[in-house]
Amino acid sequence: MKTQAKTAERLTVLTPDPLPLREHLFDDGAALAAALARAVAADLRGAIARRGEARIALSGGNTPRAFLAELSRQTLDWTRVRVVPADERWVPPEHPRANARLLRETLLQGAAAQATLLPLWRPAPGPEAALLPVLTEVANRALPLDVAVLGMGEDGHTASLFPDLGADRPGLREIGLQPSGRAPVLAVRTAAMPEPRMTLTLSALFTAPALYLHIEGAKKREVLDGAARDPRSPLPIRAVLAGAPQPPLLYWCP
């Protein structure tokens, strides 16, 4: 007999450093995806009711596929929704590793295909060359966000804010990870990944009053809890927990 997913919210304070997490815990990824989709859709409907449109930043990778597919089936006025990737690999939009392609194949289906996608990629040799036009579009059309859904890698990165951020250009880490600032996007190069990237900064992501962390697996949970407990942690996910205007909503399953 299948067990019921645990969906009750609880506020967990991890000691000795009191960084709270508002937790939604589930038995499996399918239950998580369905619940997260319902919650995010409710946020989008609320934003549309308040000001006529909604803006959402969504992460890529393998983890959010089921959630994005569930979100595409939610009932709302998708013509009033703007979608921006939280980050993008510097590859053409048809490339298998492109987050824009992931969003088109999973979220932008059926009625949800009427949403407006604001891609971070441009036909330029590198993200640095496209920084100004991307920054301008994000600032004018994507911000402020209503919802941001972030993931996390086992190295503690989120979006394309990696632990070695700023290794090639001093000061980049401070710009990318400060809670408030004027730079909504960054061009990123990391030794951890083969491609250059464009990413939203935390100051852009933190404009969303609804901030979700979608994390699956015991290893990632261990990394998250370690970063929450350690005030000296250099991991970008620590900057999310420490700098967010309110505790993020964690959706997690083993």
Side-chain angles (χ1 to χ4, degrees), residues 37-48:
R38 290 193 297 269
V40 168
D43 292 329
L44 296 176
R45 290 189 205 100
I48 293 170

Side-chain angles (χ1 to χ4, degrees), residues 215-227:
I215 296 173
E216 300 185 13
K219 175 59 178 176
K220 288 186 179 182
R221 185 60 198 260
E222 181 182 347
V223 172
L224 178 68
D225 289 350

Side-chain angles (χ1 to χ4, degrees), residues 90 119-122 127 130-139 184-185 198:
W90 210 250
L120 299 182
W121 183 85
R122 298 291 187 277
L131 187 58
L132 183 58
V134 173
L135 184 154
T136 300
E137 179 168 66
V138 168
V185 296
M198 189 78 79

Side-chain angles (χ1 to χ4, degrees), residues 143-228:
L143 300 183
L145 294 166
D146 298 293
V147 184
V149 184
L150 296 176
M152 188 196 74
E154 291 186 359
D155 61 354
H157 85 266
T158 190
S160 279
L161 301 167
F162 287 85
D164 66 350
L165 184 67
D168 60 332
R169 284 181 287 165
L172 206 63
R173 181 178 179 87
E174 288 72 19
I175 295 171
L177 299 181
Q178 65 180 190
S180 60
R182 296 184 177 180
V185 296
L186 281 180
V188 172
R189 295 178 185 268
T190 171
M193 296 292 169
E195 315 97 342
R197 297 181 174 216
M198 189 78 79
T199 186
L200 299 186
T201 61
L202 289 192
S203 62
L205 293 164
F206 286 172
T207 64
L211 178 63
Y212 295 86
L213 293 179
H214 176 188
I215 296 173
E216 300 185 13
K219 175 59 178 176
K220 288 186 179 182
R221 185 60 198 260
E222 181 182 347
V223 172
L224 178 68
D225 289 350

